[in-house]
């Protein structure tokens, strides 16, 4: 009997259907963030300028993608090594300008993303989108919450342009486009006015969301944050702000939680059900914070597993799942693959739980048995199911993909000059 068959029987003994888990996961979209390949630099500004907005990449590993062709080549390799149903996730700063036809962010047009649309079409991918409110000379350093009306208008126009691009992506690719609004707006030290920037941020969002879109196809999100590097004292788009905005505008946008954006003892796994009590749909950025929003590569760790278990229990179709991390200290292609495979592993792990049984044990107050059952799930033959899932998705199993990345590093990445 092969390993999978045996493992399938073992899971059936605890009322888990492995076939159903595998078939479900094959159709769950998970967004692959383009910005892991080039340390969030993008193509629309001078790449030697530092990243702003309170986020940071650290490390100087060889082979950073320096242009769209290199980035696409790298993504192509990633796509061969990850199972499931990936979707692209682009930032506005990855616009592609042909023949010197550069446009500033307030003037971006769908045509600047035509090459990405073709890339997605050829590979059968949908695409999510993000306005880029950082790493630009118009950050003063605030954007949508700036007191300077000219600055604020520039960024509102950027948001509106991004809705038009999102409409185009959704239309061309015949898939929903989740458009996430995050700004790094905030202050390094104690504010003299906390309310003003928040009121302006709200008004800016109202303006942006007046741009027409079909909410069934384009889903604007508001991402909150606790603090960033250089903006330690005050973040305009705090958790309460972002959540309240989304709650008061449920017909226009959804809340997005990034698990790097909370105090270190808070867990997003516990927040998913809280939000889904009130929202039909939410969005997530899955990352790995170490002490702060450090955006380390996602691991198959306890909190990632718990987030996935909650996604499955609350309804996998209610959560828009995206990755968000950037590590420049290791092979960037491997970093992408490790994180993506780990999110897939966590979702598969979450799908392999006897949901009804666990719920019943809790309701009947059989807490001892609940603990026993949950503990025993941890040492089930999970790896056999994971291997089978990879096989059915036609991608390498664990132990078989890293050498492909090593060869790519030797032949391609190590030849790059930047
Ligand atoms: C930053 C936010 C945001 C960014 C991306 C690049 O803290 O998490 O989502 O990481 O937009
Ligand atoms: Zn994020």
């Amino acid at each position: 009997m092969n390993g999978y068959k045996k493992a399938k029987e073992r899971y059936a003994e605890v009322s888990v259907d492995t076939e159903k888990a595998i078939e479900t996961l094959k159709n769950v979209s998970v967004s692959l963030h383009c910005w892991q390949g080039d340390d969030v630099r993008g193509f629309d500004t001078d790449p030697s300028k530092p990243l702003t907005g309170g986020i940071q990449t650290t490390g100087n590993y060889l082979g950073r993608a320096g242009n769209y062709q290199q980035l696409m080549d790298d993504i192509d390799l990633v796509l061969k090594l990850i199972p499931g149903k990936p979707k692209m996730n682009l930032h506005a700063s990855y616009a592609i300008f042909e023949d010197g036809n550069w446009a500033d962010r307030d003037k971006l047009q769908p045509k600047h993303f035509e090459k990405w649309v073709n890339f997605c079409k050829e590979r059968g991918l949908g695409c999510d989108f993000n306005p880029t409110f950082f790493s630009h000379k118009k950050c003063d350093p605030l954007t949508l919450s700036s007191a300077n009306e000219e600055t604020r208008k520039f960024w509102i126009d950027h948001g509106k342009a991004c809705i038009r691009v999102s409409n185009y992506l959704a239309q061309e690719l015949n898939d929903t486009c989740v458009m996430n609004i995050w700004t790094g707006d905030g202050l390094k030290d104690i504010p003299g006015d906390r309310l003003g920037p928040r009121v302006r941020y709200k008004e800016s969002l109202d303006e942006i969301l007046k741009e027409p879109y079909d909410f069934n196809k384009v889903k604007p999100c508001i991402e909150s944050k606790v603090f960033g590097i250089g903006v330690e004292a005050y973040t305009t788009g705090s958790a309460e702000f972002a959540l309240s905005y989304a709650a008061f505008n449920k017909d226009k946008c959804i809340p997005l939680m990034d698990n790097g954006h909370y105090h270190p003892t808070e867990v997003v796994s516990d927040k998913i059900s809280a939000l889904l009590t009130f929202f039909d749909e939410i969005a997530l950025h899955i990352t790995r914070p170490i002490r702060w929003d450090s955006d380390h590569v996602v691991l198959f760790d306890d909190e990632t597993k718990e987030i996935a278990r909650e996604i499955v229990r609350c309804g996998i179709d209610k959560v828009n799942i995206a990755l968000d991390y950037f590590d420049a200290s290791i092979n960037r292609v491997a970093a992408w693959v490790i994180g993506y495979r780990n999110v897939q592993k966590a979702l598969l792990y979450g799908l392999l739980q006897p949901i009804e049984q666990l719920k019943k044990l809790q309701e009947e107050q059989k807490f001892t048995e609940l603990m026993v059952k949950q503990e025993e799930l941890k040492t089930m033959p999970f790896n056999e199911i994971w291997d089978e899932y990879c096989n059915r998705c036609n991608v390498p199993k664990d132990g078989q993909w890293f050498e492909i990345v090593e060869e790519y590093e030797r032949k391609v990445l190590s030849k790059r000059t930047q």
Side-chain angles (χ1 to χ4, degrees):
M1 203 192 292
N2 76 20
Y4 172 66
K5 236 175 142 196
K6 232 169 140 181
K8 179 179 161 177
E9 281 172 13
R10 180 74 189 89
Y11 273 100
E13 285 169 19
V14 295
S15 317
V16 171
D17 181 346
T18 58
E19 287 295 315
K20 196 172 154 213
I22 290 174
E23 288 313 308
T24 304
L25 187 54
K26 274 187 183 172
N27 293 308
V28 177
S29 278
V30 176
S31 279
L32 181 72
H33 54 318
C34 73
W35 52 93
Q36 160 56 35
D38 75 333
D39 311 341
V40 209
R41 290 179 199 226
F43 313 134
D44 73 338
T45 49
D46 179 354
S48 65
K49 292 266 164 63
L51 193 57
T52 72
I55 52 177
Q56 207 147 76
T57 50
T58 53
N60 191 24
Y61 200 84
L62 63 87
R64 178 177 64 81
N67 55 50
Y68 76 83
Q69 197 50 61
Q70 292 179 350
L71 192 63
M72 287 177 178
D73 290 347
D74 294 355
I75 293 169
D76 263 334
L77 178 55
V78 173
L79 293 173
K80 290 195 185 95
L81 306 178
I82 56 173
K85 191 179 171 207
K87 192 178 183 189
M88 269 316 296
N89 198 359
L90 294 177
H91 242 285
S93 51
Y94 291 77
I96 298 174
F97 304 110
E98 294 276 60
D99 313 319
N101 277 331
W102 179 84
D104 210 346
R105 294 203 187 147
D106 60 333
K107 304 263 168 12
L108 284 176
Q109 291 176 44
K111 69 174 183 193
H112 300 126
F113 295 89
E114 200 185 318
K115 283 211 155 51
W116 282 113
V117 161
N118 294 338
F119 177 88
C120 290
K121 276 188 183 164
E122 282 158 17
R123 289 149 187 85
L125 307 172
C127 189
D128 291 335
F129 199 61
N130 305 257
T132 311
F133 297 103
F134 54 84
S135 298
H136 189 281
K137 59 182 184 318
K138 282 271 187 191
C139 304
D140 72 8
L142 306 186
T143 63
L144 293 176
S145 68
S146 172
N148 178 322
E149 280 306 305
E150 193 204 313
T151 302
R152 200 164 73 84
K153 167 126 192 343
F154 174 87
W155 291 111
I156 290 171
D157 287 345
H158 175 54
K160 285 175 172 289
C162 287
I163 289 198
R164 295 191 291 272
V165 173
S166 300
N167 286 338
Y168 164 73
L169 294 173
Q171 168 84 29
E172 287 293 316
L173 301 171
N174 201 19
D175 196 0
T176 54
C177 175
V178 174
M179 190 196 95
N180 179 42
I181 299 179
W182 169 76
T183 77
D185 285 22
L187 297 171
K188 181 181 171 72
D189 227 318
I190 317 299
D193 172 23
R194 286 186 168 88
L195 183 60
R198 288 193 169 128
V199 170
R200 288 191 292 271
Y201 189 13
K202 178 205 171 283
E203 286 168 1
S204 300
L205 291 172
D206 289 346
E207 281 304 310
I208 292 172
L209 299 185
K210 275 186 197 151
E211 189 67 26
Y213 58 93
D214 174 351
F215 193 31
N216 291 313
K217 293 184 181 142
V218 170
K219 298 177 189 250
C221 306
I222 315 296
E223 180 180 12
S224 68
K225 189 157 176 173
V226 62
F227 82 98
I229 293 288
V231 279
E232 288 85 358
Y234 168 79
T235 294
T236 315
S238 60
E240 294 75 9
F241 175 92
L243 209 47
S244 303
Y245 190 88
F248 278 95
N249 294 277
K250 272 177 82 172
D251 55 334
K252 291 197 199 94
C253 63
I254 58 177
L256 185 145
M257 295 190 290
D258 177 312
N259 64 306
H261 292 190
Y262 298 87
H263 290 288
T265 57
E266 284 183 75
V267 282
V268 161
S269 53
D270 187 61
K271 299 178 192 292
I272 293 169
S273 53
L275 263 55
L276 286 174
T277 309
F278 299 98
F279 292 92
D280 298 333
E281 212 178 319
I282 62 168
L284 292 182
H285 272 180
I286 304 188
T287 186
R288 179 165 54 105
I290 299 194
R291 304 183 197 285
W292 70 290
D293 183 33
S294 58
D295 287 298
H296 282 65
V297 178
V298 175
L299 301 182
F300 187 53
D301 56 15
D302 284 351
E303 175 56 5
T304 309
K305 280 186 250 182
E306 199 59 24
I307 287 175
R309 268 157 52 95
E310 279 299 315
I311 293 174
V312 170
R313 291 197 283 225
C314 294
I316 210 157
D317 49 332
K318 295 181 188 165
V319 185
N320 296 283
I321 309 166
L323 304 189
D324 182 17
Y325 56 80
F326 19 96
D327 193 333
S329 75
I330 60 174
N331 181 302
R332 291 173 185 78
V333 173
W336 249 322
V337 176
I338 296 165
Y340 201 96
R341 287 175 72 101
N342 281 332
V343 169
Q344 288 280 304
K345 268 186 194 169
L347 288 168
L348 184 61
Y349 186 82
L351 285 160
L352 295 170
Q353 55 178 330
I355 298 180
E356 289 311 319
Q357 206 185 83
L358 299 179
K359 196 173 156 188
K360 193 156 169 273
L361 288 173
Q362 177 175 315
E363 282 167 5
E364 291 171 354
Q365 298 170 38
K366 293 184 175 163
F367 298 121
T368 315
E369 195 180 342
L370 178 60
M371 186 185 284
V372 171
K373 289 268 149 62
Q374 298 211 88
E375 281 306 291
E376 289 183 358
L377 272 177
K378 293 179 181 171
T379 46
M380 295 285 287
F382 173 73
N383 195 50
E384 300 288 353
I385 318 293
W386 169 249
D387 281 355
E388 180 70 14
Y389 175 63
C390 290
N391 271 339
R392 291 197 201 172
C393 292
N394 294 316
V395 301
K397 300 194 287 194
D398 285 3
Q400 294 181 354
W401 64 265
F402 183 55
E403 60 200 48
I404 301 172
V405 175
E406 280 184 306
E407 194 194 346
Y408 187 71
E409 176 172 313
R410 271 195 306 276
K411 292 199 173 142
V412 180
L413 300 177
S414 63
K415 308 264 159 61
R416 290 183 185 164
T417 46
Q418 66 275 353

